[in-house]
Amino acid sequence: MDTNSTDARPVLEGPDIERVLTRIAHEIVERAKGAEDVVLLGIPTRGVFLARRLAEKLAEVTGRTIPVGSLDITMYRDDLRMHPPRALARTEIPAAGIDGRLVVLVDDVLFSGRTIRAALDALNDIGRPRAVQLAVLVDRGHRELPIRADYVGKNLPTSLRETVKVQLAEEDGRDAVLLGAKPDAKAAEH
Amino acid sequence: MMRHLISAADLTRDDAVLILDTAEEMARVADRPIKKLPALRGRTVCNLFFEDSTRTRISFEAAEKRLSADVINFAAKGSSVSKGESLKDTAQTLEAMGVDAVVIRHSASGAPYRLANSGWIDAPVINAGDGTHQHPTQALLDAFTMRRRLIGPDAGIGQGLDGRRVTIVGDILHSRVARSNVDLLHTLGAEVTLVAPPTLLPVGVDSWPCEVSYDLDATLPKTDAVMMLRVQRERMNAAFFPTEREYTRRYGLDAERLAKAPGHAIVMHPGPMVRGMEITAEVADSERCTVVEQVANGVHTRMAVLYLLLGGNEPAVSHSRTEENK
């Protein structure tokens, strides 16, 4: 995750984020033809909050309860050996499981694609979904793997000298996507 | 940073809580169809057992395999150790084979400390029980079991055991489990009372961070968890109490005695149990007894320790070891 930067400028704010999530919810219903077998899995930390919000919106649109869970990818990271071990976050799979379902992974920022690769590996150990899709609030580019999102809240062309920070009310007290300058010019690792 | 886990006294409160929280996530893996995580893929862990212990060895082995490590089991019996090979030679052999971590059980107190600090081997060392000294992963799994039962799996995240009262009963003198538990439970904020015949208390127990009592019946009403220890006859070279019957009468746990403890109090035992001696079959088989849970929790806790010491490029657990803790 990108670090704090002093001169960060908001590119999305509270109402924008709400609107973006509503649109993604409708896109999911449209593509999944009613979202009957959809399971939402958020990637901790902020992906989980986004997944919960999406589930609420999907429930409003479809009138059904959409199972929502969280998928921690820490153990599946390809840079696990390059840092001190990270504390594990919560993996919570809905009771009905994911076998044969359409799993929509939800994350805040799509960057190198390595987090999503790890998530696909993690899913492999949990079950066999019918299909896997990806929803992200922001796509900032700079992919290092052949991965793309099915639902994108906002495409945000960035340079590697910039940071993208997502704030959500559940964790940070307000909703915003902040674009700032990186304190040092070192390429971000995500 | 701490590279080894030698003693429960080495762990700071933050370290201990981090291990318990990590174990909570590891426990979730046990409910999945594929009970495996890739965190230690490509790493080799050697279980170096100079003293027999099937229970601890298979618990470590299960933990290592669930983290995808390659496992080498080394039992001293039938190996070159019985031909007179020293710990140093064994360690150097393992070093030459490129072992990434060593789990060691030894009948001599201090053997894991020696292995970790001698420079014979570069890999992290995890103490799986040394003599009458320490058994840190046992203390961690006991604390994990207490936190789950007394606070709850989810409510306990990030918490210690502040204000919980734990009574440890029996052969404290020969028990590395008691020693490790006193250290760790004190770190986590619990109040520990040791109950034993005076002959089964070690010299210097008054300097331990716990209370000592000779009266189990008086202690039980103020107890949240009562931990019964096995009477280790194999370590006893003198008469420590008059008869087994006398011991059972004063320190054994039966249903009648357990009724004096609060209704929520749990009964723990590190195993193997000697039914009829320190604990009656009725209590051992009751819902309040956590022996089977402790075994399952042992795997989760050891996975957490292995992950935190070996999963990254440096350990996640900090080091605060002092010589007097040995």
Side-chain angles (χ1 to χ4, degrees), chain B:
Chain B
M1 296 295 265
M2 182 164 96
R3 294 195 57 229
H4 313 284
L5 180 59
I6 306 297
S7 162
D10 294 349
L11 295 167
T12 64
R13 185 187 164 98
D14 286 349
D15 289 341
V17 171
L18 174 66
I19 294 171
L20 300 187
D21 289 352
T22 307
E24 201 65 67
E25 296 308 321
M26 298 297 184
R28 291 166 179 273
V29 178
D31 300 330
R32 300 191 338 199
I34 297 177
K35 299 175 181 47
K36 228 169 153 85
L37 291 166
L40 299 185
R41 202 158 51 95
R43 302 222 170 172
T44 308
V45 182
C46 179
N47 298 324
L48 190 55
F49 275 59
F50 291 96
E51 191 184 60
D52 293 336
S53 170
T54 311
R55 185 185 305 252
T56 305
R57 188 184 57 73
I58 59 176
S59 177
F60 267 106
E61 191 173 343
E64 289 149 6
K65 287 183 169 167
R66 283 191 185 173
L67 290 172
S68 308
D70 295 319
V71 181
I72 300 175
N73 282 313
F74 176 101
K77 211 176 269 177
S79 78
S80 292
V81 172
S82 52
K83 300 173 198 158
E85 191 183 65
S86 69
L87 180 61
K88 180 180 178 180
D89 293 324
T90 308
Q92 287 176 336
T93 305
L94 295 176
E95 175 78 356
M97 287 177 182
V99 167
D100 295 300
V102 177
V103 174
I104 177 173
R105 152 81 57 120
H106 205 290
S107 57
S109 303
Y113 180 80
R114 183 95 178 101
L115 187 64
N117 292 282
S118 57
W120 298 330
I121 189 163
D122 201 28
V125 174
I126 298 170
N127 184 0
D130 59 331
T132 57
H133 175 223
Q134 279 280 340
H135 195 356
T137 55
Q138 176 74 40
L140 285 162
L141 79 88
D142 289 336
F144 180 77
T145 307
M146 283 179 218
R147 201 176 77 166
R148 276 203 136 185
R149 274 286 192 115
L150 299 176
I151 308 179
D154 288 326
I157 296 285
Q159 291 196 44
L161 288 163
D162 302 278
R164 310 288 158 164
R165 291 161 303 188
V166 182
T167 304
I168 305 179
V169 189
D171 184 1
I172 311 293
L173 177 64
H174 298 97
S175 177
R176 52 194 171 211
V177 176
R179 211 170 287 249
S180 309
N181 264 295
V182 168
D183 288 333
L184 184 70
L185 291 170
H186 173 68
T187 303
L188 289 170
E191 295 162 22
V192 184
T193 306
L194 302 176
V195 178
T199 47
L200 286 175
L201 284 166
V203 176
V205 73
D206 46 338
S207 67
W208 293 15
C210 60
E211 301 287 312
V212 175
S213 166
Y214 306 122
D215 187 351
L216 181 56
D217 292 303
T219 312
L220 278 177
K222 305 185 295 277
T223 294
D224 299 308
V226 48
M227 187 182 298
M228 306 306 296
L229 300 174
R230 184 170 62 90
V231 178
Q232 302 193 39
R233 266 174 288 198
E234 75 278 12
R235 288 190 205 271
M236 293 188 186
N237 49 10
F240 289 95
F241 44 83
T243 62
E244 288 185 12
R245 219 175 127 172
E246 169 80 5
Y247 179 89
T248 305
R249 199 174 62 75
R250 295 206 50 189
Y251 300 101
L253 191 63
D254 57 18
E256 194 187 331
R257 187 163 264 157
L258 180 59
K260 293 180 178 152
H264 68 267
I266 54 170
V267 178
M268 307 181 69
H269 196 296
M273 289 187 283
V274 184
R275 285 171 185 245
M277 175 110 178
E278 70 261 7
I279 192 165
T280 63
E282 189 187 358
V283 174
D285 295 330
S286 77
E287 288 226 324
R288 300 171 74 175
C289 183
T290 61
V291 175
V292 180
E293 263 168 78
Q294 284 170 270
V295 175
N297 291 344
V299 178
H300 313 325
T301 316
R302 287 173 178 125
M303 284 172 79
V305 167
L306 285 160
Y307 166 68
L308 291 171
L309 287 184
L310 283 179
N313 65 341
E314 57 182 77
V317 182
S318 67
H319 192 188
S320 65
R321 187 183 177 80
T322 47
E323 279 301 302
E324 61 271 19
N325 285 336
K326 259 197 296 183

Side-chain angles (χ1 to χ4, degrees), chain A residues 20-21 23-33 38 40 54 102-108 110 132-139 148-155:
Chain A
V20 152
L21 290 176
R23 175 168 55 75
I24 292 178
H26 279 99
E27 283 176 10
I28 291 174
V29 175
E30 199 177 317
R31 269 189 64 173
K33 298 192 175 56
V38 165
L40 294 173
L54 268 179
L102 171 62
V103 170
V104 179
L105 295 170
V106 185
D107 204 0
D108 53 354
L110 179 58
V132 184
Q133 295 178 348
L134 174 62
V136 295
L137 186 61
V138 175
D139 182 350
R148 69 169 181 81
D150 298 273
Y151 313 101
V152 179
K154 186 175 177 62
N155 280 300

Side-chain angles (χ1 to χ4, degrees), chain A residues 108-189:
Chain A
D108 53 354
V109 181
L110 179 58
F111 185 20
S112 65
R114 289 178 190 265
T115 298
I116 305 305
R117 187 220 45 89
L120 292 172
D121 273 1
L123 272 185
N124 218 12
D125 281 359
I126 291 165
R128 187 181 183 281
R130 173 173 72 75
V132 184
Q133 295 178 348
L134 174 62
V136 295
L137 186 61
V138 175
D139 182 350
R140 65 166 294 189
H142 305 289
R143 216 75 80 239
E144 292 164 10
L145 295 169
I147 282 170
R148 69 169 181 81
D150 298 273
Y151 313 101
V152 179
K154 186 175 177 62
N155 280 300
L156 193 62
T158 57
S159 104
L160 284 172
R161 290 165 183 274
E162 288 171 315
T163 65
V164 177
K165 187 167 176 59
V166 173
Q167 296 188 322
L168 292 176
E170 294 92 328
E171 176 93 354
D172 314 289
R174 70 154 178 168
D175 281 357
V177 176
L178 303 171
L179 182 65
K182 226 173 169 4
D184 58 50
K186 202 183 125 225
E189 292 159 315

